[in-house]
Amino acid sequence: LHLSHAQVDLCIEAFGTSKQKRALNSRRMNAVGNDILNTAVTKAAANVIDAKGVTALIQDVAQDDVQNMSMFLPPCHEDADKPEHVYKFEDILSPAEFEALQGPAAAFVNITPEEITKKTEEKSHCSFVLEELKFLPVDEKSRDHKARCLWFLDILIKFSFLKVIKKKYPMGPECPHIISRKLMKNFTSLTYNNGSVQNLISASMKTKITAYVIALALHINNFQVDLTILQNDMKLQESRMMDIAKAMRLKVSKAKGLPGLESDQNHRLGTLSLPLPVLKASGSQRKRKKMN
């Protein structure tokens, strides 16, 4: 697909990095406006974007992704005195959102071993959640807290598989409206397609969902999490998962034969502990600098 300059400009407008957009704006300021031509070209380019729009955005501006990964991570409180304050729980779920999860999570609170077996056979939840449901605390308050977190984590992972979101409440009627609004507002990109605006889950939004899933899993699991189980649940490449985990300042170690997966698969454990490791530039960034 060969694009003219004007079509490239429109693609930059829709999907470009902030740097590309700034360059485009200054170039436009210097150009003499030829309105009639511009209108015709804009129409032509809009057709190209309609044809390419969704795919282009799902692939996202990949080069931007690693450099600006921190934009998609939950707020990190580097000066925290305890692991639980590095990624604050309220930054993942506000008190009102947590409150709203009581209803849907009630089924988890009272779950029986038979129901867990049945859900595992049906694969109705991701393996991380099915595994954690086997170890709900006896204490009522802790049990309820963990059940709500697991319910939300499961919804986040299911949401990450939607590409273009057509419905206002994509996760169905049992998902509280405040949670649906949170998903749409925080974890989707807006794109122009067929003359209308759509919400979709681009690559950077998938990164953001993954980061929030990891942060929540750390809170659920005493600040150590099996990244391999989450990676399999989210159908991510290991390198992608490791990039995100390292950007989140986790210490990554190998572990063998954890419950829930084949023992021959080396599992990666992510631990959040203080002091936080120093953030290094990732390999793909170094390669890019050489290329430029």
Side-chain angles (χ1 to χ4, degrees), residues 241-252:
M241 197 64 174
M242 293 307 113
D243 275 348
I244 297 169
K246 284 172 185 156
M248 290 180 75
R249 319 283 281 274
L250 299 187
K251 292 192 177 103
V252 178

Side-chain angles (χ1 to χ4, degrees), residues 88-157:
K88 290 190 171 142
F89 189 75
E90 314 61 273
D91 289 333
I92 307 167
L93 279 167
S94 73
E97 289 157 357
F98 183 73
E99 192 51 46
L101 291 169
Q102 186 180 2
F108 280 1
V109 174
N110 308 313
I111 200 159
T112 64
E114 297 75 45
E115 284 171 323
I116 295 175
T117 307
K118 189 166 179 278
K119 283 180 185 294
T120 307
E121 283 161 11
E122 292 166 353
K123 292 190 165 65
S124 58
H125 303 292
C126 62
S127 4
F128 178 86
V129 169
L130 291 165
E131 196 54 38
E132 288 298 326
L133 282 172
K134 295 175 189 168
F135 305 106
L136 288 176
V138 179
D139 171 69
E140 210 172 307
K141 197 165 186 252
S142 315
R143 190 181 182 90
D144 173 55
H145 190 280
K146 183 167 177 177
R148 294 190 208 193
C149 292
L150 288 174
W151 195 88
F152 180 63
L153 185 134
D154 195 58
I155 279 286
L156 262 181
I157 292 182

Side-chain angles (χ1 to χ4, degrees), residues 57-272:
L57 236 168
I58 286 176
Q59 286 152 359
D60 227 17
V61 191
Q63 78 198 38
D64 221 27
D65 219 32
V66 180
Q67 286 169 317
N68 297 338
M69 197 183 273
S70 61
M71 286 166 53
F72 304 107
L73 305 179
C76 178
H77 304 276
E78 296 191 17
D79 52 356
D81 53 348
K82 291 183 182 147
E84 54 266 39
H85 298 151
V86 177
Y87 296 107
K88 290 190 171 142
F89 189 75
E90 314 61 273
D91 289 333
I92 307 167
L93 279 167
S94 73
E97 289 157 357
F98 183 73
E99 192 51 46
L101 291 169
Q102 186 180 2
F108 280 1
V109 174
N110 308 313
I111 200 159
T112 64
E114 297 75 45
E115 284 171 323
I116 295 175
T117 307
K118 189 166 179 278
K119 283 180 185 294
T120 307
E121 283 161 11
E122 292 166 353
K123 292 190 165 65
S124 58
H125 303 292
C126 62
S127 4
F128 178 86
V129 169
L130 291 165
E131 196 54 38
E132 288 298 326
L133 282 172
K134 295 175 189 168
F135 305 106
L136 288 176
V138 179
D139 171 69
E140 210 172 307
K141 197 165 186 252
S142 315
R143 190 181 182 90
D144 173 55
H145 190 280
K146 183 167 177 177
R148 294 190 208 193
C149 292
L150 288 174
W151 195 88
F152 180 63
L153 185 134
D154 195 58
I155 279 286
L156 262 181
I157 292 182
K158 285 176 177 154
F159 188 71
S160 77
F161 293 120
L162 304 179
K163 288 280 185 267
V164 178
I165 295 141
K166 298 189 170 71
K167 299 200 289 265
K168 199 174 173 187
Y169 300 114
M171 303 319 288
E174 73 283 1
C175 183
H177 287 186
I178 186 172
I179 300 295
S180 296
R181 275 203 304 278
K182 178 190 186 73
L183 295 172
M184 296 296 270
K185 185 167 161 270
N186 296 321
F187 299 107
T188 68
S189 301
L190 289 177
T191 177
Y192 168 85
N193 196 42
N194 277 337
S196 64
V197 171
Q198 288 181 333
N199 294 72
L200 79 156
I201 294 170
S202 60
S204 54
M205 284 299 147
K206 178 98 179 182
T207 298
K208 187 174 182 182
I209 293 172
T210 308
Y212 277 77
V213 162
I214 292 172
L216 186 56
L218 287 165
H219 276 277
I220 291 170
N221 218 341
N222 210 7
F223 302 94
Q224 185 172 64
V225 61
D226 186 330
L227 295 167
T228 306
I229 289 189
L230 288 178
Q231 171 200 318
N232 292 344
D233 279 339
M234 296 194 76
K235 300 181 175 43
L236 289 170
Q237 288 175 311
E238 186 177 89
S239 58
R240 190 85 194 116
M241 197 64 174
M242 293 307 113
D243 275 348
I244 297 169
K246 284 172 185 156
M248 290 180 75
R249 319 283 281 274
L250 299 187
K251 292 192 177 103
V252 178
S253 55
K254 281 186 179 170
K256 250 189 152 63
L258 280 141
L261 273 111
E262 321 77 81
S263 53
D264 60 344
Q265 186 178 8
N266 255 331
H267 281 238
R268 305 282 182 148
L269 287 185
T271 309
L272 181 64

Side-chain angles (χ1 to χ4, degrees), residues 29-76:
M29 294 298 279
N30 300 333
V32 180
N34 182 334
D35 289 350
I36 300 159
L37 181 69
N38 278 347
T39 314
V41 170
T42 303
K43 275 196 178 138
N47 296 339
V48 173
I49 287 181
D50 276 344
K52 273 198 75 171
V54 174
T55 8
L57 236 168
I58 286 176
Q59 286 152 359
D60 227 17
V61 191
Q63 78 198 38
D64 221 27
D65 219 32
V66 180
Q67 286 169 317
N68 297 338
M69 197 183 273
S70 61
M71 286 166 53
F72 304 107
L73 305 179
C76 178

